Amino acid sequence: MPSPEITPGSRGYIIPIGGAEDKVKDRTILRRFIELCGNEHACIAIIPTASSLEDTGVRYVNIFKRVGAKDVRVLNIGERTDADDPKQILKLEGVTGIFMTGGNQLRLSTVLGGTAIATQIRRMNAAGVHVAGTSAGAAFISEHMIAFGAEGSTPIAGNVTLAPGLGLTNRVVVDQHFRQRDRLGRLMTALAYNPFAQGIGLDEDTAAFISSDNCIEVVGAGALTIVDVGDLEYSSMASARQGEAVELIGVRLHVLSQGARYNLSTRQATPGRQG
């Protein structure tokens, strides 16, 4: 479960990014993240655990420094023992933003899940520190994470495996590289297991900036797809056999772009390009 806010409205932004964010030209998403974290006073902690590439942390250090962050540090957490190491936890002192890179979300859940680092990140977000994750890092942000699943537009029974995520929010299930990898079906399958959450499908170079009052602002070049199953009238998930299409009646879907907003509490969308 998410850590309780220190005071009402104290929680920092939660920022899932659909992957392949612009790191060279306008860097719209990364600049917005740094602005929230304090611009030239920003202190960013990079967690490259999801990546198998040794230079991922260093690359993001250079990127964030070019965007204007004052202090950028890497938490080298490759094993669960690292995630309970007081020296790694000490690196989080004074940071205003935490950024989890892409890679394999199961590495994040198996290495960080249930550790002191994971607990500290939840507490820091509740106290006002902004937490972003791209690609695998985006999937890991919520309480329920899509570990893997088949691509395609139709929800199919048994085609999605869920795993526990970091737990910054339990209101959403996030899927990334959404349009590029045709993932509408797997997101709807994940939601069919438990229609409490709402689905966020993020295209590449697109982010959902989720504020403390559970309002989303869309930032980036692509689209954000909201799958709302709050008024679901019927689901065949309980009776569908492995590999069968799942019937879902009463699903609401919104496709939102740069500047659009969505309220997770009222389930109301506001277009970004009005007039």
Side-chain angles (χ1 to χ4, degrees):
M1 290 288 290
S3 292
E5 294 180 326
I6 305 303
T7 58
S10 67
R11 195 190 74 201
Y13 273 81
I14 299 168
I15 309 161
I17 305 166
E21 69 280 0
D22 176 15
K23 306 176 186 68
V24 178
K25 296 180 180 178
D26 296 332
R27 305 186 184 105
T28 303
I29 294 169
L30 300 181
R31 287 187 186 279
R32 175 68 187 282
F33 176 57
I34 293 300
E35 286 172 7
L36 287 173
C37 294
N39 281 320
E40 68 273 12
H41 302 295
C43 179
I44 308 299
I46 308 294
I47 300 179
T49 302
S51 177
S52 59
L53 302 176
E54 293 185 0
D55 66 341
T56 298
V58 173
R59 285 193 295 110
Y60 271 100
V61 168
N62 294 330
I63 289 166
F64 280 124
K65 285 192 173 179
R66 283 197 292 270
V67 174
K70 176 188 73 171
D71 181 7
V72 188
R73 56 191 73 165
V74 178
L75 275 65
N76 292 307
I77 302 172
E79 306 291 340
R80 288 186 62 82
T81 52
D82 299 328
D84 285 317
D85 186 346
K87 293 179 182 177
Q88 295 296 334
I89 298 171
L90 191 62
K91 290 183 181 180
L92 290 174
E93 276 198 12
V95 305
T96 56
I98 298 169
F99 188 92
M100 296 180 290
T101 73
N104 181 346
Q105 52 258 47
L106 280 176
R107 275 188 52 78
L108 283 166
S109 62
T110 57
V111 173
L112 299 185
T115 65
I117 281 285
T119 299
Q120 184 65 5
I121 293 171
R122 287 194 295 271
R123 288 173 176 167
M124 291 176 70
N125 180 244
V129 172
H130 310 297
V131 180
T134 185
S135 190
F140 182 58
I141 273 176
S142 59
E143 184 172 295
H144 302 288
M145 175 186 84
I146 297 177
F148 47 84
E151 296 171 354
S153 300
T154 303
I156 302 293
N159 270 17
V160 170
T161 298
L162 296 175
L166 179 59
L168 295 186
T169 174
N170 59 6
R171 289 178 174 268
V172 300
V173 174
V174 177
D175 211 347
Q176 69 279 14
H177 305 283
F178 197 65
R179 176 174 54 85
Q180 288 77 12
R181 301 186 186 178
D182 191 16
R183 287 178 165 173
L184 177 61
R186 81 175 198 171
L187 181 56
M188 287 197 293
T189 303
L191 295 169
Y193 289 129
N194 184 355
F196 167 76
Q198 297 175 72
I200 295 179
L202 290 159
D203 290 354
E204 293 176 357
D205 194 25
T206 309
F209 281 72
I210 307 173
S211 63
S212 62
D213 58 356
N214 292 308
C215 290
I216 295 173
E217 180 186 356
V218 183
V219 177
L224 181 154
T225 301
I226 295 286
V227 181
D228 179 4
V229 290
D231 294 324
L232 194 67
E233 299 167 20
Y234 173 76
S235 169
S236 69
M237 178 58 83
S239 58
R241 286 180 289 211
Q242 179 87 14
E244 284 186 343
V246 177
E247 290 184 314
L248 297 171
I249 298 175
V251 177
R252 297 183 70 203
L253 187 143
H254 307 283
V255 179
L256 308 173
S257 61
Q258 170 76 27
R261 296 177 183 274
Y262 181 78
N263 189 311
L264 289 164
S265 299
T266 65
R267 300 176 186 256
Q268 296 297 309
T270 305
R273 297 169 182 164
Q274 302 184 60

